[in-house]
């Protein structure tokens, strides 16, 4: 069982990334829980979601002690980093946040997600950069499952699909270099 907390601000694709992970888990026949939480604002407010992917039944969708934190902005990083379980993983968007967690019992990966997404073709794909990094580190779902979900989501939008697929692969490459 892998408990993942994705956090950022509205408009960064936090909830979409969580949906891609959850749908990919379902596609692979795994047990999945997806629990979004967000403020009333359309963009700019807080947004986070908990995704749990397991081979066994999931008793509760709550994720108070995540195995993995994906923080797309600094406030989310500083708010949720203390909650990550010992031995866990933190992926932080180093383009807009520092990466000092103040802990030596977790692995922190500083990934310049915004910069990589711009290189891939659109800053809005930073969520897919982080999703690619997560998949490369944890293998929680297969890359082909994420790509399949992207293809379903962006049917009829080949340029958007290409950018998101490229961002996903570049995120995986970014952590491969840091291992």
């Amino acid at each position: 069982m892998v408990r993942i907390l994705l956090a950022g601000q509205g408009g960064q694709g936090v909830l979409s990334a969580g949906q891609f992970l959850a749908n990919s888990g379902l596609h692979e026949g795994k047990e999945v829980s997806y629990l979004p939480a967000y403020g009333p604002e359309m963009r700019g407010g807080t947004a986070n979601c908990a995704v749990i992917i397991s081979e066994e039944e999931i008793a509760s969708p709550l994720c108070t002690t995540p195995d993995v934190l994906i923080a797309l902005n600094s406030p989310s990083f500083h708010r949720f980093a203390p909650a990550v379980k010992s031995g866990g993983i933190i992926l932080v968007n180093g383009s807009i946040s520092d990466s000092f967690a103040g802990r030596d019992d977790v692995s922190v990966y500083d990934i310049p997600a915004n910069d990589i997404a711009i290189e891939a073709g659109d800053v809005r794909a930073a969520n897919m950069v982080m999703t690619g990094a997560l998949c490369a580190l944890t293998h929680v779902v297969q890359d082909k499952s994420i790509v399949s979900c992207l293809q379903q989501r962006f049917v009829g939008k080949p340029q958007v699909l290409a950018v998101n697929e490229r961002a996903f692969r570049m995120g995986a490459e970014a952590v491969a270099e840091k291992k």
Side-chain angles (χ1 to χ4, degrees):
M1 180 178 312
V2 179
R3 291 177 166 83
I4 306 159
L5 181 63
L6 297 96
Q9 74 181 51
Q12 286 187 298
V14 171
L15 303 181
S16 294
Q19 289 173 339
F20 286 126
L21 287 167
N23 288 335
S24 294
L26 285 174
H27 178 0
E28 294 178 13
K30 297 178 180 179
E31 296 292 320
V32 173
S33 170
Y34 170 77
L35 184 63
Y38 45 88
E41 304 88 350
M42 287 281 275
R43 296 204 183 280
T46 61
N48 66 73
C49 65
V51 177
I52 303 172
I53 301 174
S54 177
E55 298 293 337
E56 301 162 6
E57 190 172 316
I58 298 168
S60 171
L62 298 179
C63 184
T64 55
T65 310
D67 299 300
V68 181
L69 168 65
I70 295 179
L72 285 169
N73 65 4
S74 186
S76 297
F77 171 65
H78 291 290
R79 177 177 176 197
F80 294 112
V84 176
K85 87 172 198 184
S86 182
I89 297 171
I90 299 174
L91 302 171
V92 60
N93 182 354
S95 296
I96 56 174
S97 178
D98 67 285
S99 61
F100 180 70
R103 300 177 58 180
D104 58 6
D105 64 333
V106 294
S107 298
V108 179
Y109 292 86
D110 184 330
I111 301 165
N114 285 18
D115 300 333
I116 293 170
I118 290 168
E119 187 179 333
D122 192 331
V123 71
R124 293 175 292 183
N127 63 337
M128 292 314 301
V129 171
M130 298 300 260
T131 303
L134 168 76
C135 290
L137 288 170
T138 66
H139 306 288
V140 66
V141 292
Q142 297 175 25
D143 292 0
K144 68 181 181 178
S145 297
I146 295 284
V147 171
S148 176
C149 287
L150 285 169
Q151 291 168 343
Q152 290 173 5
R153 177 79 169 267
F154 298 119
V155 68
K157 298 180 180 180
Q159 291 174 317
V160 176
L161 174 62
V163 167
N164 279 277
E165 283 185 19
R166 194 165 36 252
F168 177 78
R169 301 221 186 283
M170 291 172 78
E173 291 167 7
V175 293
E177 297 167 2
K178 296 177 188 257
K179 279 186 174 179

